[in-house]
Each structure stands twice: as structure tokens, then as C-alpha cells.
Amino acid sequence: MNYRHAYHAGNFADVVKHAILALLLEHLKAKDKPFRVIDTHAGMGLYDLTATEAGKTGEWQGGIGKLLRSDGKPAIDLSRKLAEALAPYLATIAAANPNGKLKHYPGSPWLVRHLLRETDRLTAVEMHPADHATLAALFAGDIQVKAIELDGWLALGSFVPPKERRGLVLIDPPFEQPDEFKTMFERFEKAYQRWPTGIYALWYPIKDIGAVSNFHKRLAESGITKILGAELWVRERTTPDTFNGTGIVICNPPWQLDRTLDTLLTGLAPILGETDKAGRRVWWIRGET
């Protein structure tokens, strides 16, 4: 209940996570059939980078601030391939800042809502009362969005599978609890048993390498097929007691997403990296090679 993403919005982990989320949504939109996105730890939806919270940490300057200046202009020239991979994500940043300046950062619910078609739906779940109130106000009157005040882990049991039987579950907990990896694996495994055809995106921090490795091991031994891993670290991956990088596990990824993610992270690593030990990897935890 203490975690507030307003202090961290737009940091390097958000850039990677949201760029990948945007790509997943574009893949889902390639088919006409409607889909639903379930965001289990949704947050406020939209963040003010000029507010006190963001100003206290300044984390966004090491994330979206390395791609865009405060006036909204590009902070760096991007290669053609990287620009193409980032295009859906950067389009949501531009839409959240119609005056052209970089003032607002869209969280996952806002990003998802912007990329939905008229037939698609979003269920955004947030447990923090104040953040849920902000989230609900943001989408008040929007028939395509349900903002629900609930524990995100309970949401997996309540809303999976969705009636559309097609879509994406984003699982993005704050990792404040020491057993968060264990909880995420167990809740994901149960959800998968109920809805094995859905796309699942599970975010995690690269901090406790032992916990990360054990999480990957449990996934590999789970019997669940088609699990893709993607990581980017901004300094030596094993630096102790430090938030070194960001990772995402994707179950049932769209065809050839691994190639797109390799292009994306190869391009972002030197931009977001803080030392010459920055790096990335994209690999199959289980399934395709």
C-alpha cells in the first residue's frame, strides 16, 4: 500500500515495459476479433512529470528523458529499425502531450486505452484507494474501460478468462513483498490453467539475481510452453542491492516478437544504459528457439 508509481513514472523500466506493451497491442489489433486487456496493477493511469513526486526522484530523466527533451523534441537520433519498434509507444507519449511538451507520462492504462479500437476493452485494477480514485476519474464515462478497486492478485482469479477469450494480461506488481516472485508465478500458473490461450506479460525488476534465476527456473519447469524472456540492464546486472534492470516474461508471444524485441532492446541498451556494463538479452525460457 506504500508504493506510489508517481515517483517512478517514465523511468528506464517504464520505457522498456511500455514499448513492449504497445507492440503487443499492435499485434493483437492485426486481427479483427475484439480483445480485452486486464491490467492487474494499473496505478493512476497518467502522471505529471512536473509534479512534486516525479521531481523528488527525477527518475524519468534517465528513462523517457533520454528519448525526448522537455520540449517534446527528440533527445537523440534513432536508427530506422529502433524508430519503427518505438513508434507505437512514442505515439502514445505524443497523444498524452497535445501541446508538444513532455509534461505527462502515460501509464499502462492510458497507453492501452489510447491504442484500443472501438470493439476492444480494458479492465484496469488498482488496490491503492487514492490511486484508484484518480484512475476511475480519468476514465469516468468511458464504456470501454472498467476501473476496479481490488487486489491485483485477486483480479487474476476474478477476471480470467475474459468473455472475449482473446487478449492480454499485464501483471506488473510493485515488488515490495519478499515473496513477490513466488506469488507472481503461482497466480500466473493458475490463471494460465483457466485461460491457456491468452497472452501474459509479467514484469519484474532485476535486483535480486537469485530470485530472478529461481523465477526463470520455475517457469522453465512449469510445463507451460511458449515463454519468452526479455531483459535490459543499465549497469552490471549483478550489482548488489541496486535496481539494475528490467525484465518481462511473455507467455504466448505473437509470432516473431522475439526478433522485434531484440531490435528494440539492442537499440535501447546504449541509450538507457548508465555504465558500459549495460546490456540486454532476449531468449526463449521455454518453447521456440
Side-chain angles (χ1 to χ4, degrees), residues 207-223:
K207 184 175 181 181
D208 182 342
I209 291 298
V212 171
S213 297
N214 187 56
F215 177 56
H216 293 160
K217 183 174 183 291
R218 295 191 72 178
L219 287 167
E221 295 174 350
S222 68

Side-chain angles (χ1 to χ4, degrees), residues 255-287:
W255 184 60
Q256 292 191 335
L257 182 69
D258 54 332
R259 298 183 183 182
T260 304
L261 295 192
D262 188 66
T263 296
L264 176 71
L265 299 189
T266 297
L268 284 178
I271 296 172
L272 300 176
E274 297 177 6
T275 75
D276 60 1
K277 299 296 184 180
R280 93 292 175 269
R281 64 171 178 162
V282 177
W283 79 107
W284 286 97
I285 296 174
R286 183 179 174 90

Side-chain angles (χ1 to χ4, degrees), residues 18-39:
H18 292 149
I20 293 174
L21 176 60
L23 289 170
L24 288 170
L25 290 166
E26 291 303 296
H27 277 284
L28 281 167
K29 288 159 60 178
K31 294 183 179 180
D32 291 337
K33 189 176 179 181
F35 63 85
R36 181 176 296 269
V37 176
I38 300 170
D39 190 341

Side-chain angles (χ1 to χ4, degrees), residues 117-185:
R117 303 164 302 184
E118 291 185 1
T119 56
D120 306 320
R121 297 292 185 266
L122 166 64
T123 299
V125 181
E126 175 54 46
M127 183 173 68
H128 194 289
D131 286 357
H132 170 263
T134 302
L135 181 71
L138 183 65
F139 294 116
D142 190 332
I143 63 172
Q144 290 184 244
V145 180
K146 288 184 178 180
I148 300 172
E149 185 176 352
L150 184 68
D151 183 333
W153 299 126
L154 294 178
L156 275 173
S158 301
F159 304 128
V160 172
K163 65 179 182 179
E164 293 84 358
R165 296 285 174 165
R166 181 171 183 261
L168 164 69
V169 179
L170 174 63
I171 305 173
D172 176 21
F175 280 88
E176 287 188 312
Q177 303 302 320
D179 60 348
E180 203 85 89
F181 275 109
K182 178 176 181 292
T183 300
M184 183 160 67
F185 172 79

